[in-house]
């Protein structure tokens, strides 16, 4: 085996700096509390059907918050080597970017934050990230590049984090609906089957370092 194959990471992505992690966790927690409060008065719209525990306990938290660009699985994932060899990847490795967190969402499986990438950030986004999800989420392949960009904030018991991006795509392929209410943080929409999305009144700016992760 070639050394460069051995050295491919588990994934590349933007890793939030500590202040941004703290701020996003805190905003996320405010959102779950507000959603719990709202659901008490809403009929037939439970995320954790039959489970009366607060959402904050329902979702198991993640330690280090990041926005995955390319999942490489140490080189086993398709296109991993090609991605790692892109000149932009080595040029921008270690640089800090301002990510715009534009929305928060929950489904019965996952809790995440939507990231709206700029053109400059999209050069690090794999061209097939949305198409790759087409078999799990029909229609995902036709969404704009970067639609899958997200930060996993928590997963229900037994759910793998890869599900967060698929849940986001699943919401984005649905027709737009009217907000059910305006919360302090922004407007809240309900997409059926326990799927909620809060569009932030003011997108949150999260400083994050482009790097890679090896277990
Ligand atoms: P996440 O980006 O939704 O958090 C390590 O497992 C990281 O890679 C996690 O952050 C995870 O999800 C992401 N990941 C795991 N499998 C993946 C896949 N098949 N495609 C894209 N991202 C994946």
């Amino acid at each position: 085996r070639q050394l460069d194959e051995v050295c491919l990471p588990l994934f590349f992505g933007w890793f939030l700096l500590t202040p941004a992690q703290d701020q996003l966790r805190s905003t996320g927690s405010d959102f779950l509390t507000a959603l719990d409060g709202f659901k008490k008065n809403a009929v037939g719209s439970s995320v954790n059907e039959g489970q009366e525990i607060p959402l904050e306990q329902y979702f198991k938290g993640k330690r280090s918050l990041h926005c995955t660009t390319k999942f490489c699985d140490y080189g086993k994932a398709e296109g991993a080597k090609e991605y790692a060899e892109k000149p932009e990847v080595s040029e921008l490795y270690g640089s800090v970017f301002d990510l715009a967190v534009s929305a928060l969402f929950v489904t019965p499986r996952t809790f995440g934050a939507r990231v709206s990438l700029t053109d400059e950030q999209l050069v690090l986004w794999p061209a097939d990230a949305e198409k790759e999800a087409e078999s799990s989420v029909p229609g995902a392949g036709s969404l704009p590049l970067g639609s899958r960009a997200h930060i996993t904030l928590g997963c229900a018991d037994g759910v793998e984090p890869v599900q967060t991006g698929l849940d986001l795509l699943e919401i984005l392929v649905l027709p737009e609906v009217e907000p059910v209410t305006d919360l302090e943080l922004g407007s809240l929409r309900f997409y059926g089957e326990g799927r909620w999305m809060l569009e932030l009144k003011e997108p949150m700016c999260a400083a994050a370092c482009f790097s890679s992760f090896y277990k």
Side-chain angles (χ1 to χ4, degrees), residues 10-11 62 66-71 132 148 150-152 160-165 213:
L10 180 61
F11 65 92
K62 294 248 301 154
H66 63 269
C67 173
T68 304
T69 53
K70 176 71 187 170
F71 179 69
E132 196 193 79
R148 190 176 176 176
H150 70 281
I151 297 161
T152 299
E160 295 293 328
V162 62
Q163 189 62 46
T164 318
F213 180 86

Side-chain angles (χ1 to χ4, degrees), residues 84-107:
E85 283 174 352
K86 274 161 69 100
E88 296 88 346
V89 168
S90 35
E91 276 160 27
L92 296 170
Y93 197 84
S95 307
V96 173
F97 293 74
D98 280 331
L99 298 183
V101 175
S102 52
L104 298 173
F105 58 94
V106 297
T107 77

